[in-house]
Amino acid sequence: MTKAQQNYFELFGLEPNFSIDVPKLSAKLRTLLNSVHPDRFASSGSQQQMLSMQKTTQLNDAFAVLKNPVKRAQYLLHLKTGIDTSKEHTVNDPEFLMQQLELREELEEISSSNDIGQLNQFADKIDELEVAQEKQMSELFSQEPLDTDELQKAIYKLQFLHKTLSDIELAEDKLLS
């Protein structure tokens, strides 16, 4: 990556790290967007206005990646190793695959029962699993050298938990409509 193309962490003045204070990141985004807002360059030339628009887009894209733990982990692993985990994949971890199956079945049963309280308890359970997975991810990224096999598995697990939380929201919307 050339100096002209800062990575997403550099845009926000951060060291490349999985652990991020998202509220501070949001505050930094507002400050940076205010400094490059296109309205500030309304009387400037078209070149300056275009650069302002590009910087605004770049900041918003970077924020979208860094605030999301799955996207942040994928981006960080790619930044550090060149490994791309954003494509389809197969996890060769029988224990994890069994856990996925059981959680999917549990969600289907809860959705069929139309019990919003049980769905909320299930969401809390997945939230706890996600927090634990993010903690493991942070520990894996702090190791030198990086264990890329374990990081890839951890990313896929976090991705699954994230997807399950999205599916819970859909089930909740369906129950409440």
Side-chain angles (χ1 to χ4, degrees):
M1 195 166 287
T2 64
K3 193 67 176 170
Q5 292 179 317
Q6 293 177 305
N7 71 46
Y8 290 167
F9 294 96
E10 290 170 339
L11 283 173
F12 287 90
L14 300 170
E15 290 294 317
N17 191 343
F18 180 74
S19 297
I20 286 182
D21 184 335
V22 175
K24 281 186 180 176
L25 184 70
S26 295
K28 182 78 173 184
L29 175 67
R30 284 190 297 276
T31 300
L32 291 170
L33 286 176
N34 189 37
S35 69
V36 297
H37 195 279
D39 288 349
R40 295 178 66 103
F41 302 98
S43 61
S44 302
S46 60
Q47 171 92 18
Q48 189 63 35
Q49 290 175 2
M50 188 172 76
L51 288 173
S52 170
M53 290 294 292
Q54 288 175 341
K55 190 70 172 181
T56 298
T57 300
Q58 188 181 26
L59 287 168
N60 284 320
D61 290 348
F63 180 73
V65 168
L66 296 180
K67 77 173 183 178
N68 180 304
V70 174
K71 291 179 181 177
R72 182 173 60 241
Q74 291 173 325
Y75 181 78
L76 185 57
L77 184 62
H78 188 263
L79 184 68
K80 289 188 171 204
T81 68
I83 295 173
D84 183 2
T85 57
S86 64
K87 297 178 180 152
E88 290 293 317
H89 55 273
T90 303
V91 177
N92 190 14
D93 182 342
E95 186 178 322
F96 173 62
L97 295 174
M98 184 57 76
Q99 181 190 32
Q100 274 185 307
L101 188 63
E102 290 171 357
L103 290 173
R104 285 267 160 225
E105 287 175 358
E106 190 174 347
L107 178 57
E108 283 182 33
E109 287 175 21
I110 293 169
S111 295
S112 299
S113 72
N114 295 329
D115 184 341
I116 193 72
Q118 199 175 9
L119 187 61
N120 288 335
Q121 287 176 350
F122 184 69
D124 290 344
K125 176 180 169 179
I126 300 300
D127 276 334
E128 288 176 17
L129 291 171
E130 187 179 52
V131 167
Q133 193 63 43
E134 286 182 23
K135 183 179 178 193
Q136 181 193 14
M137 187 82 67
S138 184
E139 291 168 3
L140 287 169
F141 270 116
S142 68
Q143 295 175 356
E144 286 293 332
L146 292 176
D147 185 339
T148 56
D149 289 338
E150 286 302 314
L151 273 167
Q152 289 178 74
K153 284 182 193 174
I155 289 170
Y156 297 142
K157 289 177 182 178
L158 187 60
Q159 197 171 23
F160 167 75
L161 294 170
H162 224 66
K163 168 92 173 73
T164 303
L165 285 170
S166 294
D167 292 344
I168 290 170
E169 286 179 22
L170 292 174
E172 185 178 19
D173 289 346
K174 191 175 176 182
L175 285 177
L176 296 175
S177 62

